Amino acid sequence: MKHIFVIHTGGTISMSEDETTGEVKQGESNPLLKHLLTFNDIVITSKELFYLPSPHITPKEMLELKETIEKACQKDQIDGIVITHGTDTLEETAYFLDLTLNVRIPVVITGAMRSSNELGSDGLYNLISSIQVAASTEAADMGVLVVMNDEVHSAKNATKTHTSNVATFQSPQYGPIGIVNKRGVAFHHKPVNRTHLKADHLTKQVMLLKAYAGMDDTILKAIAEVKPDGLVIEALGQGNLPPTLMPALAKLMNAGVKIVIVSRCFNGIVQDIYSYEGGGKTLKEAGIIFSNGLNGQKARLKLMIALETTQDAGELQKIFSF
């Protein structure tokens, strides 16, 4: 018998639709807790760690979730972990855990796009699929997995792509790494070059910006007043910025702010190709760190965690190369 530990944190999967107004909201209790799932070869235990919509989840809760999982694995014989979570920030929690968790068993995170009592609710089915994946021997050592809509995605690549569609979670450029059906779980490839970072506490402030045509340095000057530890910029194309930003970026770096760029495109990676002012080559030469394929929200978390152990730009570039 396999032992799967399910941790509930809230989100749409734990909400209900008001039959009169149509609004979706939290009730007095999580409706998922009423479902005692039974499997022939799996024992389920569960814990309601939070009851929060995902926009209320912060890195503080992510760290608590990580610690809860590690303590549970030290205390009991657990074969897999399933986490239920709201979808708006699900990919961030999944990636935070992927970077920081120190466990070898499968860890799966899932959610729902339709609340528990809506027609065509997807929550319970996603939960059942996630338990199947967490009980799969093949899912071990693959990092944190996102299971939604019959698909298995890696935490590094999965992102929410649609505001309401049940097939919202996709892995642009790479696709899912496996599928779930009535006969079980089938993986067709696995993640490589995973990064593990130590996270015992979180003290660093890292901000996130998106670049746009005609962007000036106003926002960068405002950010300098806050004195953050790091900044992630979703740059244009392969990693280029308007030239008007260069002096303000230099001042931030001289003040010790570590700057990482990703692309605002959801396919491809940033590269130091263009040598015009603000082009990727000039940014790299100025000391800006290039990330290998992460989106902005995940790069922000990675930088926040990495800065707890190193301030060295060369070391940070190595961390962001994978």
Side-chain angles (χ1 to χ4, degrees):
M1 298 283 284
K2 294 229 175 171
H3 177 194
I4 303 300
F5 183 37
V6 180
I7 303 173
H8 300 289
T9 69
T12 299
I13 193 170
S14 65
M15 295 182 185
S16 301
E17 183 182 60
D18 188 294
E19 295 179 2
T20 303
T21 65
E23 62 181 324
V24 175
K25 57 186 179 182
Q26 293 183 168
E28 294 182 1
S29 63
N30 182 342
L32 271 182
L33 301 180
K34 299 176 184 177
H35 295 283
L36 298 175
L37 301 176
T38 58
F39 295 82
N40 292 330
D41 55 351
I42 301 173
V43 174
I44 307 293
T45 57
S46 68
K47 177 184 179 70
E48 187 172 39
L49 185 60
F50 314 120
Y51 191 24
L52 296 171
S54 66
H56 294 194
I57 297 287
T58 72
K60 174 179 174 287
E61 283 77 31
M62 296 176 195
L63 184 59
E64 185 176 348
L65 180 56
K66 167 198 175 283
E67 292 170 347
T68 298
I69 292 170
E70 290 177 346
K71 287 177 183 177
C73 291
Q74 292 167 3
K75 180 181 177 183
D76 300 313
Q77 179 59 48
I78 296 172
D79 299 295
I81 302 285
V82 172
I83 303 155
T84 65
H85 196 289
T87 59
D88 284 351
T89 61
L90 184 151
E91 65 188 87
E92 287 165 86
T93 296
Y95 189 58
F96 180 94
L97 295 175
D98 189 65
L99 286 172
T100 62
L101 265 179
N102 187 24
V103 298
R104 301 292 299 273
I105 61 174
V107 178
V108 177
I109 187 165
T110 191
M113 296 302 292
R114 296 173 184 157
S115 58
S116 62
N117 63 337
E118 284 186 67
L119 188 64
S121 175
D122 54 330
L124 190 56
Y125 188 82
N126 284 339
L127 176 57
I128 292 170
S129 296
S130 297
I131 291 170
Q132 285 181 270
V133 174
S136 168
T137 304
E138 288 185 88
D141 291 324
M142 284 200 180
V144 175
L145 301 173
V146 175
V147 175
M148 296 276 289
N149 199 42
D150 292 338
E151 293 181 339
V152 185
H153 296 264
S154 67
K156 181 179 180 180
N157 297 318
T159 190
K160 188 173 183 178
T161 65
H162 195 285
T163 58
S164 58
N165 195 306
V166 294
T168 181
F169 278 91
Q170 304 291 326
S171 295
Q173 187 163 245
Y174 302 104
I177 64 172
I179 58 172
V180 188
N181 54 39
K182 291 182 179 179
R183 297 195 179 277
V185 183
F187 290 97
H188 43 75
H189 61 273
K190 63 185 298 183
V192 295
N193 297 327
R194 287 185 56 219
T195 302
H196 183 268
L197 300 175
K198 186 178 180 181
D200 296 326
H201 55 277
L202 298 170
T203 63
K204 305 302 181 183
Q205 183 180 43
V206 177
M207 296 185 171
L208 172 62
L209 288 179
K210 182 188 284 284
Y212 54 85
M215 185 178 186
D216 62 23
D217 62 0
T218 304
I219 188 67
L220 292 178
K221 289 179 179 178
I223 286 173
E225 295 297 317
V226 179
K227 299 180 180 179
D229 301 286
L231 172 65
V232 174
I233 304 175
E234 293 185 0
L236 310 172
Q238 292 190 71
N240 311 302
L241 292 172
T244 47
L245 303 183
M246 294 301 288
L249 289 173
K251 287 182 180 179
L252 283 171
M253 287 188 287
N254 287 336
V257 180
K258 303 305 178 187
I259 301 176
V260 172
I261 63 165
V262 301
S263 178
R264 69 178 193 178
C265 304
F266 56 84
N267 280 313
I269 62 173
V270 288
Q271 301 180 84
D272 52 336
I273 300 298
Y274 292 98
S275 59
Y276 53 73
E277 188 179 6
K281 191 172 188 300
T282 59
L283 296 178
K284 192 73 174 286
E285 290 172 349
I288 288 177
I289 298 157
F290 278 50
S291 178
N292 188 3
L294 289 176
N295 61 25
Q297 55 268 34
K298 292 180 185 177
R300 174 184 170 269
L301 285 171
K302 192 171 192 177
L303 182 58
M304 182 188 302
I305 298 165
L307 286 173
E308 295 291 348
T309 55
T310 183
Q311 301 288 318
D312 182 76
E315 185 64 27
L316 289 169
Q317 182 59 72
K318 289 180 183 178
I319 290 171
F320 275 92
S321 295
F322 298 103

